[in-house]
């Protein structure tokens, strides 16, 4: 057990002369969890991608079980037993669970045909060894995101993974699902698998990691055993090189006249009779489990989900929102949960992404006032500390958290009246979170109405004037300010009874 499965020494990575990593080293032991932490753009994902062969290193050495690996590419990496669970899950919805586990690697019988029986029973065995209950014959489309992630893990195990890399695996999971994943990681450790774990959630790091490596601006700041770290503050300070303010400091502000009224909103099988009213400058937190209908409310308001019934009124007048264009015209902005699918235009520049739906505002002379547009984008780049070489950089080259900040900036620039935020701080580091929440609070103070969906109860509790709790497509309750506590929210979200 004393030989490391993985050693990376003095890794350097440059993108067109810009150093994303300089001299980073890491040793991974079998049966251990090594966390990599750092602010957005620190180089965590880049480091991982060098290991999976997605990027080639500029210099440095890689050893797998003591053997030097001169040329790393995705095939070699897999063959060496290195598997990565990326944030964007890699499953086929129209296949069954077991087909997904054995995708491209199906067992065949003596006639050369796919051995379905073996596939199903092997899948069952893998899940059993992980103490999970998922039906191998179920269609993947019918299972939760968390279960899909489990499939990817099962797939890695079926291919005898020695190293499992997880890059922000919990960012789309609910609390309960996170618990299952963390328990699973414990199980994988027992099986001798080495795990590299990236997360912005410090509580997770402290629970599961044995060792932590801190990166800052591509530099290797420190590696230490977790039991020698005094607490979250120490880690965050190492990452940010400064003290980070307590976040969720909402500034109390007067709440104005009603702006948005939703009455009897219905969508068959998804939303049932949702009614609420929102006022100027009010922040409504929307809580509930993943899949409880929170995102669907947001989509209906933004014209991305066709409602079967109900009315939406703005300033007392019924409105017909048939698509995002209508919504934007009415002053509604939407920061989506899934930035890759509905948020960013990946091929465009950071500036274009920040100003995309606002171009109208800048093109009053029928051409785009580039100067004004750049000015606004620049203000928000500084405010939210978006890490990019220039605003003209293609946005897909930004780190995950910095892409998220750019989308937030878009709607702040827009002069939105009603801002819908679906998990606004997904993938954003602790320090940047403080800044984003301060900005959201400031917008509310200026009279913007905010509807904020979040799976992190602390965010909901810290930011909301009222909280709507969703359960299975129904409104389980509306909590007034004095009633907003984690306990009340959880009780409503689970509906008293604990359903597994
Ligand atoms: N393909 C690329 N081309 C140019 N620059 C890149 C590319 N990929 C990453 N970078 C840059 O490398 C730096 C590190 O990015 P990386 O994605 O590794 O950060 P991260 O630590 O994973 O951040 P986050 O927490 O936001 O995911 C960033 O400044 C990013 O813009
Ligand atoms: Mg990343």
């Amino acid at each position: 057990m004393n030989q490391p499965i993985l050693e990376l020494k003095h890794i350097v990575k440059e993108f067109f002369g810009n150093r994303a990593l300089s001299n980073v080293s890491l040793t991974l032991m079998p049966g251990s969890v090594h966390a990599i932490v750092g602010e957005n753009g620190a180089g965590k994902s880049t480091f991982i991608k060098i290991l999976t062969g997605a990027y080639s290193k500029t210099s440095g050495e890689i050893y797998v079980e003591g053997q030097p690996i001169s040329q790393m590419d995705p095939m070699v990496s897999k063959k060496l037993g290195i598997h990565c669970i990326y944030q964007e899950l890699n499953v086929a919805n129209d296949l069954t669970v077991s087909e997904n586990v054995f995708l491209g690697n199906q067992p065949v019988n003596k006639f050369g045909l796919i051995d379905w029986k073996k596939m199903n029973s092997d899948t069952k065995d893998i899940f059993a060894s992980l103490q999970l209950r998922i039906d191998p014959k179920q269609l993947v489309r019918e299972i939760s995101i968390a279960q899909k992630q489990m499939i990817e893990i099962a797939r890695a195990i079926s291919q005898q993974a020695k190293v499992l890399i997880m890059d922000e695996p919990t960012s789309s999971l609910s609390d309960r699902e996170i618990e299952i994943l963390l328990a699973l990681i414990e199980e994988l450790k027992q099986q001798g698998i080495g795990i590299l774990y990236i997360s912005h959630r410090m509580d997770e790091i402290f629970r599961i990691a044995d060792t932590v490596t801190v990166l800052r601006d591509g530099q290797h700041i420190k590696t230490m055993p977790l039991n020698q770290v005094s607490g979250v503050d120490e880690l965050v300070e190492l990452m940010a090189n400064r003290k980070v303010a307590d976040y969720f400091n909402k500034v109390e502000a007067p709440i104005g006249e009603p702006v948005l009224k939703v009455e009897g909103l219905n969508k068959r099988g998804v939303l049932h009779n949702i009614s609420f009213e929102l006022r100027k400058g009010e922040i409504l937190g929307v809580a509930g489990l993943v899949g409880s209908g929170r995102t669907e409310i947001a989509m209906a308001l933004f014209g991305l989900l066709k409602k079967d019934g109900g009315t939406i009124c703005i300033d007392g007048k019924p409105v017909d929102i048939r698509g995002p264009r209508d919504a934007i015209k009415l002053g509604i902005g939407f920061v989506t949960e899934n930035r890759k699918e509905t948020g960013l235009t990946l091929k465009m520049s950071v500036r274009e992404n920040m100003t995309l739906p606002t171009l109208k505002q800048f093109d009053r002379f029928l051409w785009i006032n580039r100067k004004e547009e750049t000015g606004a984008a620049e203000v928000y780049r500084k405010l939210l500390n978006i890490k990019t070489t220039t605003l003209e950089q293609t946005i897909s080259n930004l780190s995950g958290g910095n892409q998220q900040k750019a989308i937030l900036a878009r709607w702040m620039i827009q002069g939105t009246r009603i801002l819908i935020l679906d998990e606004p701080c997904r993938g954003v580091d602790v320090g940047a979170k403080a800044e984003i929440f301060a900005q959201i609070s400031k917008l509310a103070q200026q009279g913007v109405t905010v509807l904020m969906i979040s799976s992190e109860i602390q965010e909901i509790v810290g930011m909301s004037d009222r909280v709507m709790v969703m359960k299975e497509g129904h409104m389980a309750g509306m909590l007034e300010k004095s009633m907003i506590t984690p306990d009340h929210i959880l009780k409503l979200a689970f509906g008293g009874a604990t359903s597994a």
Side-chain angles (χ1 to χ4, degrees), residues 240-270:
N241 202 21
R242 63 187 154 90
K243 280 219 187 301
V244 171
D246 273 344
Y247 49 100
F248 319 141
N249 277 337
K250 181 182 183 308
V251 184
E252 294 307 324
I255 289 172
E257 69 273 18
V259 173
L260 173 76
K261 190 168 180 181
V262 174
E263 245 182 323
L265 181 62
N266 266 304
K267 174 78 188 175
R268 214 166 303 120
V270 181

Side-chain angles (χ1 to χ4, degrees), residues 15-16 20 38-47 55 168 200 387 393 397-402 427:
F15 294 105
F16 314 106
E39 293 195 302
N40 295 131
K44 305 178 296 293
S45 297
T46 303
F47 188 72
Y55 289 162
E168 299 186 38
H200 289 293
K387 203 177 163 220
Q393 167 95 277
N397 289 346
L398 258 58
S399 79
N402 283 302

